[in-house]
Amino acid sequence: MYETITAETDPRGVTTLTLARPEKHNALSPQMMDELTEAADRLGRDPAVRVVVLTGAGDSFCAGGDLGWMRDQMAADGAARAREARRLAEMLARLDALPKPLIGRVQGQVLGGGMGLISVCDVAIGVAPARFGFTETGLGLIPATIGPYVIARMGAAMARRVFMSARIFGAEEAVRLGLLAQAVAPEALDAAVEEEVRPYLACAPGAVAEAKALARRLGPATDDAVIALSIEALVARWDSDEAAEGVGAFFDRRKPRWAE
């Protein structure tokens, strides 16, 4: 059914939704974004699904947006850029609105768009060796479409510590910042995720869905206007000289002109 993700549901109604591009560290390609959007819609409608666990195959959870896709935006026109930015924004919005508990099972690298994915989870558990970072500004880009969900998760004051420095930080700091609920040893990850899953199986599914929807409404706004603002910000940044330099420098395997 899918080529870049897998979705497997156990007899209890717990679906494991896995990013399945391990050779690319599960970077978000256009196809993966579309498949995640479709999966979120399908799982949300399926009454047999009680809980969704989001994880990544291989050594990384998600290393961000596919850099080939980003490079394509440098040569694209404004309409194409807006379409691609909306593709990413729609994926995040559908996962955020999923009417089932969404639990992140996090390992390895979590960079760029991967930070958005853990921010739309209701709770995320990570391994102690994992590494995190909003790496966009190092490429001349900005964490735009993920921004509403990151700010909702961390709060503006916490987010400003790491949102624009491209600094890589560890799992314990991710816990302090509110991105992870806890950091555990790799061998304890599955048990820790199961501890988050199990209580939901004793709850009324409709009540869980309505409680989640209420929490989203009471929290910071991630409505159409906010999402549109994030799309416009990403499209404008793709049009900048800094983005062309930063993405070009990455593929040329050199430092961008602003780097020491």
Side-chain angles (χ1 to χ4, degrees):
M1 183 177 183
Y2 301 117
E3 295 181 359
T4 67
I5 65 174
T6 63
E8 299 179 352
T9 303
D10 71 16
R12 303 176 300 167
V14 178
T15 297
T16 300
L17 182 61
T18 305
L19 312 182
R21 298 181 75 210
E23 73 286 357
K24 298 292 187 181
H25 293 277
N26 299 317
L28 292 163
S29 67
Q31 183 178 4
M32 181 181 278
M33 295 179 215
D34 289 346
E35 291 185 352
L36 283 169
T37 300
E38 195 282 333
D41 287 345
R42 181 175 64 83
L43 296 172
R45 294 191 304 268
D46 188 344
V49 174
R50 303 282 301 274
V51 182
V52 179
V53 175
L54 179 64
T55 192
D59 294 333
S60 295
F61 177 75
C62 176
D66 183 272
L67 282 165
W69 171 72
M70 290 187 197
R71 182 169 58 177
D72 290 344
Q73 307 319 308
M74 300 301 102
D77 61 23
R81 287 172 175 165
R83 183 172 61 250
E84 293 305 302
R86 181 162 292 281
R87 185 196 303 269
L88 176 55
E90 283 291 331
M91 176 202 72
L92 292 165
R94 301 294 180 83
L95 288 168
D96 183 59
L98 182 73
K100 312 290 171 78
L102 182 61
I103 298 171
R105 178 190 179 279
V106 179
Q107 86 288 0
Q109 296 184 74
V110 189
L111 307 175
M115 302 290 276
L117 287 177
I118 64 172
S119 294
V120 298
C121 291
D122 298 302
V123 61
I125 309 295
V127 297
R131 291 293 177 263
F132 303 79
F134 297 95
T135 50
E136 290 89 346
T137 55
L139 295 168
L141 300 169
I142 59 174
T145 50
I146 69 173
Y149 309 102
V150 170
I151 301 302
R153 170 57 61 86
M154 301 171 66
M158 286 291 194
R160 286 168 67 165
R161 296 184 183 185
V162 290
F163 195 64
M164 54 272 198
S165 69
R167 178 170 65 83
I168 303 299
F169 54 93
E172 292 298 336
E173 186 169 359
V175 172
R176 294 196 297 272
L177 291 168
L179 287 163
L180 294 181
Q182 59 177 312
V184 299
E187 62 273 18
L189 180 59
D190 287 334
V193 169
E194 178 62 21
E195 286 298 308
E196 294 293 336
V197 167
R198 191 178 301 115
Y200 288 111
L201 303 179
C203 296
V208 170
E210 290 184 20
K212 178 171 178 174
L214 180 61
R216 291 180 62 251
R217 291 183 63 188
L218 294 174
T222 51
D223 56 19
D224 290 345
V226 170
I227 292 170
L229 176 62
S230 74
I231 291 170
E232 291 167 8
L234 180 56
V235 171
R237 181 39 45 173
W238 272 338
D239 194 38
S240 69
D241 291 341
E242 285 185 344
E245 166 66 10
V247 175
F250 177 87
F251 282 101
D252 292 342
R253 297 187 178 182
R254 61 175 174 82
K255 290 183 177 181
R257 62 175 180 264
W258 56 76
E260 293 183 359

